[in-house]
Amino acid sequence: MVATLNFSSFNPGPFILVGIPGLEQFHVWIGIPFFVIYFVALAGNGMLLYLIAMDHSLHEPMFFFLSMLASADLILCTTCVPKTLGIFWFGAKEITFPGCLTQLFFIHFSFFLDSAILLAMAFDRYMAICSPLRYTSVLTPRTIVKIMVGIVSRSFSIMIPVVFLVKRLPFCRTRLIPHTYCEHIGVARLSCADISINIWYGFALPLMIAFSDLILIIISYTLILHAVFHLPSRDARQKALSTCGSHVTVILIFYTPAMFSVLTHRFGHNISHTFHIMLANLFVAIPPALNPIIYGVKTKQIKDKVILLFLPKGNQ
């Protein structure tokens, strides 16, 4: 009997994802904008990846990093939004424990991936604007591959311990998750064991890594802006500011809700749970949809290729 109890505790049955607490009666309607946003994210990021893969003029470090960002965004939204729509429209609230672990792994994995890619893109812009003569000698194809492998390896090594920290927990209480997807602390809080390690690893590590990435990004753009305002040509200044403007917009869209969500988990006990869950859902849906639009509008090479894709020269 004891053995059976222990086995069921450490190998729990399916969890139930409630959705957005307090807004259950509006789930069907909330699902419509989420579906539209998800469709835009798939189309936008898919188009970016297609253009970068097919057009040799876009085979530059900045666009390789942009293709990585598009891939990470597709992982993030596809990990969450289809299941969320299943909950909203079909009442498909059950998720198996392995499915839950897989979902929380890829959600947090893509967060760390995005953060590292944004830092790499800031470094790319720093080299292009502050040290243009060394740009091609520093950011060689071999270096780009090393940076990409480093980014993926860092995110993977951060997340593997999280999977084991959750897998070791016994679940002998409710299996109701008041959310639309599985995330580390939300699942850990359902356990009937001490989750101190989970809380501090899940809070301190994202904060430490995201803040260190953000500080390095801020330093890069401070140096970039200093260099931009010393460029002799007004056109060169405008071009540099336009490219950097798209990066800064994407950085703000990514970090603002992400940091709010992390801090709310630890300190925001007075913040409405409904508001927190809604913001968490917007975080996994809106940045992946907006990023390709921002880069498409702000980056001339991308904008020109998109126009050419839909309006071939003969039709213009």
Side-chain angles (χ1 to χ4, degrees):
M1 180 68 177
V2 174
T4 306
L5 283 172
N6 285 342
F7 181 81
S8 63
S9 297
F10 285 86
N11 297 271
F15 289 100
I16 306 297
L17 292 163
V18 172
I20 302 176
L23 296 178
E24 288 86 353
Q25 66 271 36
F26 302 113
H27 275 176
V28 172
W29 301 107
I30 294 170
I32 296 169
F34 271 93
F35 174 77
V36 173
I37 292 167
Y38 181 54
F39 178 79
V40 171
L42 289 180
N45 288 293
M47 189 186 300
L48 266 184
L49 289 170
Y50 172 79
L51 288 173
I52 293 167
M54 300 303 292
D55 198 312
H56 288 284
S57 67
L58 298 179
H59 291 182
E60 298 174 11
M62 183 178 99
F63 298 109
F64 284 131
F65 292 134
L66 185 52
S67 67
M68 274 198 82
L69 186 67
S71 302
D73 283 344
L74 285 173
I75 292 170
L76 178 62
C77 62
T78 302
T79 299
C80 301
V81 180
K83 181 60 183 174
T84 299
L85 292 174
I87 295 165
F88 287 167
W89 287 348
F90 309 111
K93 297 183 176 183
E94 279 196 4
I95 185 167
T96 62
F97 185 57
C100 197
L101 281 177
T102 303
Q103 194 178 50
L104 74 83
F105 173 86
F106 280 108
I107 289 165
H108 298 297
F109 173 78
S110 56
F111 166 79
F112 290 117
L113 210 57
D114 269 357
S115 183
I117 294 164
L118 290 173
L119 176 58
M121 292 176 83
F123 176 68
D124 169 80
R125 289 301 83 200
Y126 167 78
M127 289 301 301
I129 293 168
C130 299
S131 209
L133 298 178
R134 295 178 57 220
Y135 182 77
T136 52
S137 62
V138 172
L139 286 169
T140 61
R142 190 169 190 164
T143 305
I144 299 299
V145 170
K146 285 180 180 178
I147 291 171
M148 288 178 168
V149 170
I151 286 169
V152 174
S153 301
R154 187 189 83 161
S155 303
F156 188 81
S157 62
I158 291 166
M159 279 311 301
I160 282 296
V162 171
V163 172
F164 287 103
L165 282 172
V166 175
K167 199 171 171 57
R168 73 184 175 89
L169 295 172
F171 295 91
C172 45
R173 293 201 293 259
T174 178
R175 294 190 186 118
L176 285 175
I177 302 174
H179 211 311
T180 57
Y181 56 81
C182 296
E183 52 82 32
H184 177 205
I185 301 301
V187 174
R189 283 197 171 127
L190 299 179
S191 173
C192 47
D194 179 23
I195 60 165
S196 303
I197 297 172
N198 295 73
I199 288 173
W200 284 108
Y201 190 90
F203 167 70
L205 202 69
L207 210 59
M208 183 175 66
I209 289 169
F211 265 130
S212 61
D213 287 350
L214 188 56
I215 288 165
L216 290 171
I217 288 169
I218 290 168
I219 291 169
S220 296
Y221 278 104
T222 303
L223 295 170
I224 287 167
L225 285 173
H226 182 265
V228 164
F229 288 117
H230 284 82
L231 289 173
S233 163
R234 185 180 175 184
D235 287 343
R237 283 200 299 271
Q238 285 182 338
K239 185 180 176 182
L241 285 172
S242 178
T243 306
C244 292
S246 60
H247 291 193
V248 171
T249 306
V250 167
I251 287 161
L252 289 173
I253 289 170
F254 172 74
Y255 277 106
T256 305
M259 298 309 289
F260 177 84
S261 185
V262 170
L263 291 170
T264 300
H265 265 305
R266 190 70 186 95
F267 304 111
H269 304 298
N270 296 324
I271 293 172
S272 162
H273 198 57
T274 302
F275 176 75
H276 182 201
I277 301 304
M278 180 61 86
L279 188 72
N281 276 277
L282 292 175
F283 165 66
V284 300
I286 288 182
L290 286 182
N291 288 352
I293 295 171
I294 292 165
Y295 282 111
V297 171
K298 291 274 191 178
T299 309
K300 188 178 184 300
Q301 295 103 309
I302 295 289
K303 184 163 65 175
D304 290 346
K305 300 303 175 188
V306 171
I307 291 169
L308 201 61
L309 186 66
F310 290 103
L311 294 170
K313 285 182 180 178
N315 297 335
Q316 287 183 37

